[in-house]
Amino acid sequence: DSGVTQTPKHLITATGQRVTLRCSPRSGDLSVYWYQQSLDQGLQFLIQYYNGEERAKGNILERFSAQQFPDLHSELNLSSLELGDSALYFCASSVDGQGNQPQHFGDGTRLSIL
Amino acid sequence: GQQLNQSPQSMFIQEGEDVSMNCTSSSIFNTWLWYKQDPGEGPVLLIALYKAGELTSNGRLTAQFGITRKDSFLNISASIPSDVGIYFCAGRGPPNTGNQFYFGTGTSLTVIP
């Protein structure tokens, strides 16, 4: 158990809809990272938050957004969903914001778009 | 985004054999991490490397941070069935990349009892 909690585990929805994925980092971790993992691709970095502020941005679509709340949990919002958004979405957390400490991953949310 | 070249893509080995996989990049990385992912679960950290030339072990696993800082290797000795899974390398870029971690495409390991 990594200590990172993601909910829900599975999500099935239709094209055009909007969903919110939730992540609670390990106790004491200030950084939260979001990744997308598709069948034909590896882990793609989406965005990082550190202590409530956006720290780094990767390949995140404009239809996607995230935030980190004062209690350090984070939410990833995906809107105007398309079939290609079907993937595993992982959250990871670490103590620092500079990448000097390794990231610990949750078990992911599997998003299926019908 | 940047992708690391990880090889081999897949391996089928007999139980008891040793395994080697590697990761290369065209860019210099300051940190290398190795993860294992089981089906339906998130990646689990195996080994973290922070210095060029560093050699670190975790049980039957040994990883090295290449001297050029552009590659890393993971070795598994005396493989067992529970070693089955997908192994990912990850490298942390310099500050001008936002200290992002870039992940390899994974090595799928199958251990035949």
Side-chain angles (χ1 to χ4, degrees):
Chain A
D1 181 12
S2 68
V4 178
T5 305
Q6 286 188 250
T7 57
K9 287 197 182 311
H10 304 277
L11 202 48
I12 301 174
T13 188
T15 55
Q17 296 298 306
R18 182 179 191 275
V19 297
T20 297
L21 313 183
R22 184 187 167 102
C23 169
S24 293
R26 289 189 324 164
S27 176
D29 284 359
L30 298 178
S31 256
V32 169
Y33 305 78
W34 285 98
Y35 291 87
Q36 180 190 60
Q37 187 179 42
S38 305
L39 274 176
D40 57 346
Q41 291 187 342
L43 283 156
Q44 300 290 322
F45 169 69
L46 296 178
I47 198 164
Q48 177 201 358
Y49 278 81
Y50 175 76
N51 206 19
E53 300 287 328
E54 183 183 304
R55 178 59 66 98
K57 227 171 185 174
N59 301 320
I60 187 166
L61 299 172
E62 282 191 17
R63 300 183 286 109
F64 296 180
S65 65
Q67 54 184 328
Q68 187 179 26
F69 295 86
D71 67 352
L72 301 177
H73 90 270
S74 177
E75 292 181 355
L76 178 68
N77 301 298
L78 316 176
S79 61
S80 303
L81 287 167
E82 302 174 0
L83 292 175
D85 296 328
S86 293
L88 267 168
Y89 290 84
F90 286 104
C91 165
S93 73
S94 69
V95 170
D96 71 330
Q98 286 76 39
N100 293 320
Q101 297 297 322
Q103 300 170 28
H104 298 269
F105 284 77
D107 284 340
T109 292
R110 181 174 294 279
L111 177 64
S112 299
I113 312 299
L114 303 180
Chain B
Q2 186 166 150
Q3 199 99 72
L4 302 181
N5 297 312
Q6 192 170 342
S7 65
Q9 278 192 333
S10 60
M11 302 181 74
F12 293 81
I13 61 167
Q14 293 285 340
E15 182 177 358
E17 287 184 1
D18 296 343
V19 172
S20 287
M21 60 189 78
N22 70 79
C23 214
T24 60
S25 168
S26 56
S27 304
I28 287 174
F29 285 112
N30 297 323
T31 300
W32 284 94
L33 306 175
W34 284 93
Y35 288 88
K36 178 180 181 239
Q37 185 176 20
D38 292 328
E41 298 183 13
V44 174
L45 181 69
L46 299 174
I47 292 180
L49 303 159
Y50 298 103
K51 225 159 80 168
E54 181 180 353
L55 185 72
T56 297
S57 292
N58 177 8
R60 294 178 295 106
L61 277 60
T62 302
Q64 184 160 26
F65 192 143
I67 292 175
T68 65
R69 294 165 63 192
K70 292 184 178 182
D71 56 10
S72 179
F73 304 86
L74 176 70
N75 296 318
I76 305 173
S77 63
S79 58
I80 59 178
S82 62
D83 291 334
V84 165
I86 301 179
Y87 292 79
F88 289 99
C89 62
R92 178 173 70 91
N96 63 354
T97 67
N99 293 307
Q100 281 187 43
F101 276 94
Y102 298 93
F103 280 78
T105 47
T107 294
S108 174
L109 177 64
T110 301
V111 179
I112 303 165

